[in-house]
């Protein structure tokens, strides 16, 4: 009987390790973990990093959310937006355009007709300016929703912003579909000149709620 | 599949281990057609290429230094990254089995491929099974390595590259020249011409402005993203603990491919597995900073099997060997498998900077490519195997080792490969010369005499103090560079002279007067 590819590859790996056993290794984790920064410092760091990626940042209190969201959408002329089914409807109370609630059976090309999308987020990392979206969370929506429209407005509670990458990764649910966003879609493939927006949203707007 | 090497003993056989085979000769893109010096000679004549490369490598280098310098624990992250990879290699069988189990648990299917030929056949069978005759591709080193696009084409399936640079390379019927920025050898005017010629219905008034060119690519690919049924990706990491796979990118083409099509096929080298989800906290810091010099790349996607109602409902993971186990069996060379394909070593390499990626003839160019390529595909596939020239495609300056986020000692690996090459290639002029040098250096008297004789080299030198033509076997060296004439006096004889002693005394006194000169505090 001939061996399957699986058996062959695994036996080759075992042979290789028998022929040249590697050094016994303990992973040193002396890098920084468990960092905590006061709200003002974390906010300042996060905003600095977001702006560096040419993300547009707005800060407000939780009670001002609806006004700021409406203002940002208006500024972009967004008349028709999509939202995940679990998004807090109060955030859109001041928006006068059309709101489409997403569901799994809406085909991607239809999302292409939207002017933008509004979502929440799961956690963020201040040091790298990264926003983590969990597609299994009802207020963040499936992955296509935050990908196809050209404008993504993300509402972030400051309390969910972690200092560094280890602190943020520790808060994820690993088996959910996760998307890490650091600024808008970008490319530097032509003579290393940065161009915003190739295939993902070309505009990323972030609203940070400082008391939430 | 048909080669005898694949009929290896099965996993239950307990006996003498055998050395696993390398990637098969003549398949895929792990071997160029010409030896490095010949290919490099032609590439060096391309001034445009050198200008583009010079600008690109310098700019990425500066950015990388700035963002790695920002992290006070950068060295600790490198230590952790290096140890995690070493630990991974030691535990590869159990980790691969765990990864397989977890992917299946979450609704995915796992396939194993002994070599590139087998991987190509698996992908083709899966694509044909969907009834589609086209696939979208996310930039992937592994599928480039195995020549998947060409194979699919031979089977009547069209593969569309969706990364902007890969698209440029594909439309130009060219090959990538850099791991990270594959079209770095092209400038905007060339790219405009390629687009005008190759993209159907493109605006004839297209300007050679990067933003306009990117917009043209967006418009061209948007329809494909919305209608394609199948996508093929690589993977930056595969997490054994959870079965989670990851693609790190910038443009969103990765997100499109991983999200919109019904079927997703991911081809991953077996060395890309990581033990724990937590390990991402290390590599998500090391990779973007080393690669593009960014604190984080714009987009990273993580997915585990299939998620009902979100993304592809049919997910296949192809685990690829293709010479990786042969590299693993080499006590020294296995360190090259730790590579996370960040390209930091390319950007600091003085040789790469001048020759560009094509001269290496492999999917993996630059310093790490010079190590990894012979490891995966061997150096003696044929007489004058181009791969046997790769270990010499380095000045051994050590910049690549300093830049490597997982601390791969590339210069030492190159020296080891040179040793293996000379051991295997029998008596050559270089080997005799090196043997003579070793004999002389072991005997102080002979060494002193040889140094005196080397002073005679000054007679060979012209007025500018350089030697432009050396006799064989050193002609290969002097053909592409001038050799400084040996000094009038050896260091040892100068040190022993009155002049030397005086200079040393003066230097010592100077050092006492300015104890801190030239010493910079490092944070």
């Amino acid at each position: 009987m001939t061996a399957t590819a699986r058996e062959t590859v695994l036996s080759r790996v075992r042979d290789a390790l028998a022929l040249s056993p590697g050094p016994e290794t303990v992973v040193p984790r002396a890098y920084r973990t468990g960092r905590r920064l006061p709200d003002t410092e974390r906010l300042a760091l996060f905003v600095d990093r977001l702006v560096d990626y040419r993300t547009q940042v707005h800060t407000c209190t939780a009670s001002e959310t609806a006004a700021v969201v409406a203002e940002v959408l208006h500024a972009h002329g967004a008349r028709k937006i999509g939202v995940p089914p679990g998004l807090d409807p109060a955030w859109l109370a001041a928006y006068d355009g059309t709101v489409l609630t997403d569901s799994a059976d809406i085909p991607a090309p239809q999302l292409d007709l939207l002017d933008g999308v509004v979502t929440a987020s799961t956690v963020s990392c201040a040091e790298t300016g990264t926003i983590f979206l969990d597609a299994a969370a009802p207020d963040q929506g499936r992955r296509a929703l935050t990908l196809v429209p050209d404008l993504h407005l993300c509402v972030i509670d400051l309390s969910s912003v972690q200092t560094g990458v280890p602190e943020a990764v520790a808060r994820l649910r690993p088996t959910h579909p996760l998307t890490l966003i650091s600024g808008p879609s970008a490319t530097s493939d032509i003579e290393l000149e940065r161009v915003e927006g190739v295939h993902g949203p070309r505009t990323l707007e972030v609203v940070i709620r400082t008391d939430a | 599949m048909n080669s005898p090497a694949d009929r290896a003993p099965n996993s239950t056989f307990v006996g003498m281990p055998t050395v696993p085979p390398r990637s098969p000769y003549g398949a895929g893109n792990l071997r160029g057609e010409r030896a490095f010096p010949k290919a490099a000679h032609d590439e060096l004549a391309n001034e445009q290429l050198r200008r583009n490369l010079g600008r690109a490598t310098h700019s990425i280098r500066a950015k990388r230094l700035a963002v790695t310098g920002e992290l006070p624990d950068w060295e600790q992250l490198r230590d952790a990254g290096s140890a995690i990879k070493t630990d991974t290699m030691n535990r590869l069988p159990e980790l691969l089995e765990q990864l397989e189990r977890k992917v299946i648990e979450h609704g995915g299917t796992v396939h194993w491929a002994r070599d590139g030929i087998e991987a190509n056949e698996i992908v083709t069978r899966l694509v044909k099974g969907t009834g589609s005759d086209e696939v979208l591709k996310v930039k992937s080193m592994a599928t480039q390595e195995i020549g998947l696009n060409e194979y699919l084409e031979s089977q009547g399936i069209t593969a569309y590259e969706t990364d902007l640079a890969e698209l440029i390379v594909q439309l130009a019927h060219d090959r990538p020249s850099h791991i990270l920025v594959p079209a770095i050898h092209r400038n905007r005017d060339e790219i405009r011409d390629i687009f005008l010629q190759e993209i159907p219905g493109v605006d004839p008034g297209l300007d050679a402005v990067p933003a306009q060119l990117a917009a043209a690519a967006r418009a061209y690919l948007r329809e494909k993203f919305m209608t394609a049924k199948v996508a093929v990706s690589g993977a930056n990491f595969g997490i054994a603990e959870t079965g989670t796979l990851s693609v790190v990118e910038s443009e969103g083409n990765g997100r499109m491919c991983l999200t919109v099509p019904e079927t997703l096929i991911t081809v991953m080298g077996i060395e890309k597995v990581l033990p724990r989800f937590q390990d991402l906290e290390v590599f998500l810091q090391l990779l973007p900073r080393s690669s593009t010099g960014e604190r984080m790349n714009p987009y990273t996607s993580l997915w585990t099997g299939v998620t009902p109602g979100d993304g592809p409902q049919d997910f296949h993971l192809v685990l690829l060997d293709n010479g990786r186990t042969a590299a693993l069996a080499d006590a020294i060379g296995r360190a090259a498998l730790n590579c996370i394909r960040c390209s930091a070593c390319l950007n600091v390499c003085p040789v790469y900077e001048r020759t560009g990626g094509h001269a290496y003839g492999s999917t993996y160019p630059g310093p790490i490519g010079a190590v990894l390529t012979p490891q995966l595909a061997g150096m003696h596939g044929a007489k004058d195997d181009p791969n046997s020239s790769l270990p010499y495609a380095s000045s051994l300056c050590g910049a690549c080792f300093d830049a490597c986020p997982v601390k791969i000692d590339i210069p030492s690996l190159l020296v080891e490969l040179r040793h293996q090459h000379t051991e295997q290639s029998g008596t050559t002029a270089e080997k005799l010369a090196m043997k003579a040098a070793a004999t002389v250096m072991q005997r102080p008297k002979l060494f002193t005499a040889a140094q005196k004789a080397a002073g005679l080299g000054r007679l060979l030198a012209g007025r500018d103090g350089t030697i432009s033509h050396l006799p064989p076997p050193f002609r290969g060296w002097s053909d592409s560079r001038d050799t400084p004439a040996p000094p009038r006096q050896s260091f040892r004889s100068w040190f022993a002279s009155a002049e030397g002693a005086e200079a040393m005394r003066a230097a010592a006194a100077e050092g006492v007067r300015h104890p801190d000169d030239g010493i910079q505090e490092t944070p």
Side-chain angles (χ1 to χ4, degrees):
Chain A
M1 200 188 87
T2 54
T4 64
R6 179 184 189 277
E7 287 165 351
T8 304
V9 174
L10 282 171
S11 74
R12 283 180 188 173
V13 176
R14 292 195 184 96
D15 276 5
L17 293 176
L19 288 165
S20 68
E24 215 28 60
T25 306
V26 178
V27 177
R29 293 188 192 265
Y31 52 86
R32 296 171 300 164
T33 53
R35 277 181 289 161
R36 285 166 179 276
L37 282 179
D39 276 2
T40 48
E41 284 178 46
R42 228 169 55 251
L43 177 64
L45 184 62
F46 189 39
V47 170
D48 177 75
R49 300 320 197 213
L50 286 169
V51 169
D52 195 45
Y53 292 131
R54 302 185 200 175
T55 301
Q56 302 175 52
V57 188
H58 315 263
T59 54
C60 67
T61 61
S63 60
E64 292 164 348
T65 311
V68 175
V69 166
E71 194 185 316
V72 172
L73 290 174
H74 181 75
H76 285 283
R79 298 305 307 150
K80 189 178 178 192
I81 61 153
V83 295
L87 192 83
D88 185 347
W91 293 0
L92 292 166
Y95 175 65
D96 60 356
T98 309
V99 178
L100 175 101
T101 302
D102 185 43
S103 68
D105 52 7
I106 297 177
Q110 274 196 36
L111 298 174
D112 207 10
L113 305 173
L114 296 170
D115 296 324
V117 53
V118 179
T119 74
S121 68
T122 254
V123 63
S124 296
C125 167
E127 192 171 60
T128 60
T130 305
I131 300 161
F132 296 66
L133 301 175
D134 182 338
D139 58 357
Q140 292 156 54
R142 62 190 176 125
R143 288 169 281 175
L145 181 65
T146 51
L147 168 64
V148 180
D150 211 14
L151 163 73
H152 179 195
L153 192 164
C154 190
V155 180
I156 293 172
D157 294 346
L158 180 58
S159 59
S160 73
V161 179
Q162 302 296 312
T163 304
V165 172
E167 296 84 34
V169 167
R171 302 200 162 227
L172 300 174
R173 284 165 292 185
T175 53
H176 290 185
L178 299 163
T179 305
L180 283 60
I181 295 173
S182 306
S185 159
T187 183
S188 303
D189 278 342
I190 302 172
E191 296 185 24
L192 287 190
E193 190 168 299
R194 190 178 168 100
V195 175
E196 258 82 50
V198 194
H199 308 299
R202 283 184 278 198
T203 308
L204 176 64
E205 292 271 0
V206 170
V207 174
I208 304 171
R209 310 198 306 165
T210 51
D211 59 348
Chain B
M1 311 224 6
N2 296 321
S3 74
D6 294 321
R7 309 288 178 220
N10 65 44
S11 57
T12 51
F13 175 74
V14 183
M16 285 298 287
T18 53
V19 181
R22 303 209 175 270
S23 160
Y25 184 77
N29 296 305
L30 286 174
R31 185 175 270 104
E33 282 157 15
R34 298 184 300 165
F36 181 82
K38 281 211 166 59
H41 190 264
D42 291 354
E43 299 289 334
L44 280 168
N46 184 344
E47 281 190 34
Q48 179 71 52
L49 171 85
R50 279 163 73 183
R51 255 201 310 278
N52 288 1
L53 275 175
R55 265 198 59 215
T57 52
H58 282 252
S59 140
I60 301 177
R61 219 188 283 178
K63 279 173 72 188
R64 186 186 68 86
L65 278 177
V67 296
T68 57
E70 250 175 39
L71 296 188
D73 56 348
W74 181 248
E75 289 308 315
Q76 285 77 23
L77 285 166
R78 286 178 79 203
D79 287 334
S82 174
I84 292 169
K85 292 300 276 189
T86 306
D87 179 45
T88 299
M89 297 311 155
N90 289 347
R91 300 198 285 129
L92 209 46
E94 56 168 294
L95 293 176
L96 288 171
E97 284 178 307
Q98 189 185 14
L99 175 68
E100 176 189 47
R101 202 165 55 243
K102 289 290 169 182
V103 169
I104 294 171
E105 253 174 46
H106 288 94
T109 309
V110 178
H111 310 260
W112 299 71
R114 286 166 274 217
D115 53 36
I117 299 162
E118 188 167 23
N120 286 336
E121 286 169 353
I122 293 169
V123 175
T124 304
R125 182 165 48 76
L126 292 171
V127 175
K128 284 190 170 160
T130 67
S132 180
D133 60 0
E134 54 179 43
V135 296
L136 294 182
K137 292 261 327 279
V138 200
K139 180 188 164 209
S140 145
M141 306 295 297
T143 59
Q144 171 70 24
E145 168 191 326
I146 62 179
L148 177 65
N149 290 7
E150 295 80 356
Y151 186 83
L152 288 174
E153 198 183 335
S154 76
Q155 301 296 306
I157 298 165
T158 311
Y160 294 94
E161 290 292 348
T162 60
D163 170 83
L164 178 55
E166 287 287 341
L167 175 69
I168 294 165
V169 167
Q170 188 183 37
L171 291 177
H173 312 288
D174 194 0
R175 287 179 301 126
S177 63
H178 189 286
I179 291 177
L180 177 71
V181 272
I184 198 63
H185 56 294
R186 298 280 186 179
N187 63 29
R188 58 186 74 191
D189 293 316
E190 292 175 300
I191 294 166
R192 187 196 57 165
D193 292 345
I194 294 164
F195 279 13
L196 285 177
Q197 215 158 52
E198 300 286 336
I199 297 183
V202 78
D203 175 9
L206 183 68
D207 271 338
V209 177
Q212 278 208 28
L213 296 169
R218 178 186 174 102
Y220 170 62
L221 287 173
R222 184 98 318 199
E223 194 211 321
K224 303 225 174 295
F225 283 135
M226 295 301 142
T227 55
K229 300 265 181 277
V230 192
V232 175
S233 86
N236 290 91
F237 310 107
I239 310 293
E241 178 186 37
T242 56
T244 306
L245 288 146
S246 166
V247 162
V248 170
E249 48 120 10
S250 295
E251 296 174 8
N253 63 307
R255 290 180 67 189
M256 285 283 182
C257 292
L258 303 169
T259 304
V260 184
E262 294 159 10
T263 300
L264 172 63
I265 304 163
T266 299
V267 181
M268 182 185 109
I270 53 172
E271 83 284 15
K272 291 292 189 79
V273 66
L274 288 177
R276 292 157 296 263
F277 190 81
Q278 190 206 345
D279 295 329
L280 286 174
E281 71 187 19
V282 175
F283 292 99
L284 287 179
Q285 296 192 73
L286 288 175
L287 181 56
R289 287 182 200 258
S290 302
S291 174
T292 49
E294 293 170 297
R295 297 187 183 100
M296 189 68 87
N297 51 289
Y299 296 135
T300 297
S301 296
L302 300 168
W303 75 98
T304 311
V306 297
T307 305
D310 191 355
Q313 296 301 295
D314 194 13
F315 170 59
H316 298 268
L317 175 64
V318 182
L319 293 170
L320 175 71
D321 179 352
N322 205 37
R324 283 159 177 78
T325 47
L328 189 67
D330 184 310
I332 292 166
R334 65 188 291 182
L337 290 178
N338 291 358
C339 172
I340 57 171
R341 317 278 190 267
C342 72
S343 76
C345 63
L346 275 64
N347 298 324
V348 297
C349 177
V351 175
Y352 174 86
E353 186 183 323
R354 285 161 180 81
T355 64
H358 289 162
Y360 296 79
S362 160
T363 294
Y364 306 105
I368 191 63
V371 173
L372 197 55
T373 301
Q375 287 289 330
L376 296 176
M379 291 191 283
H380 301 280
K383 189 178 180 299
D384 299 326
D385 185 343
N387 279 358
S388 65
S389 66
L390 291 180
Y392 302 90
S394 167
S395 63
L396 301 180
C397 73
C400 48
F401 185 19
D402 292 340
C404 179
V406 291
K407 294 194 164 180
I408 301 172
D409 184 356
I410 298 172
S412 296
L413 297 179
L414 286 168
V415 171
E416 170 60 22
L417 285 178
R418 290 180 190 188
H419 172 72
Q420 288 178 12
H421 174 236
T422 50
E423 282 298 303
Q424 288 168 38
S425 57
T427 307
T428 61
E430 287 91 341
K431 195 176 179 185
L432 285 175
M434 290 304 155
K435 202 171 173 189
T439 311
V440 170
M441 284 163 144
Q442 278 160 13
R443 297 181 197 158
K445 261 191 191 162
L446 261 182
F447 188 52
T448 309
Q451 280 181 322
K452 279 191 183 138
L456 296 174
R458 298 184 67 77
L459 298 177
L460 279 174
R463 278 168 165 273
D464 58 355
T466 60
I467 305 171
S468 40
H469 298 288
L470 284 168
F474 301 109
R475 220 176 50 209
W477 169 272
S478 64
D479 275 354
S480 53
R481 49 179 96 53
D482 288 339
T483 307
R488 214 177 296 276
Q489 211 175 9
S490 76
F491 175 75
R492 275 149 44 103
S493 58
W494 173 83
F495 193 73
S497 71
E499 185 198 348
E502 176 56 37
M504 293 309 287
R505 270 197 297 277
E510 181 77 5
V512 171
R513 274 199 296 281
H514 305 287
D516 293 330
D517 271 6
I519 299 169
Q520 292 205 330
E521 286 293 319
T522 46

